[in-house]
């Protein structure tokens, strides 16, 4: 009975702490700046895109990442130049205070029940403080990984081969057609006028710019409706209380004997 009571108390504490941590990390995900998300996402897209639109993506990636880096000047969590390619500055400050408040509310009754079940030294203040620090460090590390994975998933979708063919295809097709007509005219001796090349150049630039602008619209929609939601789900899954899970596993083993 003591072990079952301890397990019930621990489950209640574990669920309450997990819910509170998930809510906090979800709020942090919703507060991610659009500029930071665009910089991190374009940093990943630059290495995945090819063709004329890919050249513009690489150039735009450098510009957006530079602007994002400059916007963090003077801030405590300012990333290093180029860090947005692999990491996104996520402010998870305050986790220590949240964990300390949760432990103060839910841990004492759970620790008393665990002590009654034979698990000792759980009410020691040092054990509590060490667990708060350890849990905070783990959550910060898991949060960075979770956001990075959400960005990677979005980058893979936005660099789909069919999308690249659809946006690069018109530019390459028109360029090939102009090249064919130029060679054919040269061989036949019926040279094309300068106006033809001016119009062809204008059309190429228009198609090139249109493809890139369309990609920017798609990326913006993905950031607003996709990346933040994936990041929130990933952060929620990372919001676990390791000590509670470990103790629950020990109690389950004791009850199976």
């Amino acid at each position: 009975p003591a072990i079952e009571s301890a397990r019930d108390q621990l489950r209640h504490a574990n669920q309450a702490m997990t819910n509170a941590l998930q809510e906090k990390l979800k709020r942090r995900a919703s507060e991610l700046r659009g500029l930071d998300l665009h910089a991190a996402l374009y940093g990943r897209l630059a290495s995945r895109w090819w063709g004329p639109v890919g050249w513009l993506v690489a150039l735009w990636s450098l510009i957006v990442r530079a602007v994002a880096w400059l916007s963090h000047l003077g801030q405590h969590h300012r990333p290093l130049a180029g860090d947005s390619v692999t990491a996104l500055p996520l402010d998870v400050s305050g986790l220590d205070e949240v964990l300390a408040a949760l432990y103060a509310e839910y841990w004492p009754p759970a620790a008393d029940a665990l002590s009654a079940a034979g698990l000792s030294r759980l009410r020691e203040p040092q054990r509590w403080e060490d667990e708060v620090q350890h849990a905070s460090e783990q959550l910060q590390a898991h949060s960075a990984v979770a956001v990075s994975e959400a960005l990677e998933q979005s980058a893979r979708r936005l660099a789909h081969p069919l999308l690249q063919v659809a946006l690069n295809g018109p530019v390459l097709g028109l360029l090939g057609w102009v090249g064919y007509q130029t060679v054919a005219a040269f061989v036949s001796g019926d040279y094309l006028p300068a106006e033809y090349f001016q119009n062809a150049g204008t059309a190429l630039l228009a198609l090139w710019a249109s493809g890139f602008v369309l990609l920017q619209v798609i990326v913006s929609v993905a950031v607003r409706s996709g990346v933040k939601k994936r990041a929130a789900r990933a952060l929620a899954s990372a919001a676990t209380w390791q000590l509670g899970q470990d103790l629950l596993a020990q109690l389950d083993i004791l009850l199976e004997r």
Side-chain angles (χ1 to χ4, degrees):
I3 296 178
E4 292 180 355
S5 176
R7 184 175 63 175
D8 292 340
Q9 284 280 2
L10 189 59
R11 280 179 175 172
H12 174 69
N14 184 57
Q15 188 61 48
M17 294 182 71
T18 299
N19 291 341
L21 290 173
Q22 287 180 346
E23 186 62 30
K24 183 174 181 63
L25 291 178
K26 282 182 179 179
R27 287 199 301 269
R28 285 290 185 260
S30 65
E31 294 169 1
L32 286 170
R33 297 195 318 162
L35 178 59
D36 291 331
L37 288 172
H38 277 80
L41 192 53
Y42 273 109
R44 288 164 169 79
L45 292 176
S47 61
R48 289 178 165 88
W49 270 76
W50 55 270
V53 176
W55 304 337
L56 292 179
V57 169
L59 178 60
W60 186 248
S61 168
L62 293 175
I63 296 173
V64 175
R65 287 161 55 195
V67 172
W69 180 79
L70 290 173
S71 70
H72 284 281
L73 286 175
Q75 297 182 9
H76 177 67
H77 296 286
R78 178 169 60 89
L80 296 175
D83 270 6
S84 56
V85 179
T86 56
L88 183 67
L90 179 66
D91 182 13
V92 290
S93 60
L95 280 179
D96 290 348
E97 292 80 359
V98 172
L99 287 168
L102 290 171
Y103 274 108
E105 181 177 358
Y106 295 106
W107 181 239
D112 290 340
L114 291 168
S115 297
L119 299 176
S120 59
R121 302 182 63 185
L122 295 175
R123 285 296 300 269
E124 295 180 0
Q126 188 60 43
R127 174 67 180 272
W128 180 4
E129 294 173 3
D130 291 343
E131 177 58 25
V132 168
Q133 181 178 358
H134 176 72
S136 178
E137 292 173 353
Q138 288 292 105
L139 284 173
Q140 291 188 37
H142 291 165
S143 298
V145 173
V147 175
S148 179
E149 290 177 350
L151 286 166
E152 283 292 335
Q153 183 179 359
S154 296
R156 286 194 298 270
R157 294 186 177 184
L158 291 171
H160 195 281
L162 291 179
L163 179 60
Q164 298 198 48
V165 169
L167 297 185
N168 281 308
V171 180
L172 295 176
L174 180 57
L175 184 62
W177 174 249
V178 171
Y180 167 76
Q181 284 198 321
T182 302
V183 173
F186 178 79
V187 172
S188 64
D190 186 14
Y191 301 120
L192 298 172
E195 183 179 355
Y196 172 83
F197 292 102
Q198 292 176 355
N199 293 334
T202 301
L204 279 172
L205 289 176
L207 286 175
W208 195 6
S210 299
F212 180 62
V213 170
L214 181 58
L215 177 62
Q216 285 188 308
V217 173
I218 295 173
V219 170
S220 296
V221 172
V223 167
R224 294 178 182 177
S225 62
V227 177
K228 285 190 176 183
K229 289 182 179 179
R230 292 192 189 97
R233 289 196 298 268
L235 288 172
S237 65
T240 56
W241 181 34
Q242 191 61 43
L243 176 62
Q245 293 181 348
D246 293 343
L247 291 173
L248 280 173
Q250 294 180 30
L251 293 177
D252 288 338
I253 292 174
L254 290 174
L255 287 173
E256 290 175 359
R257 292 180 179 177

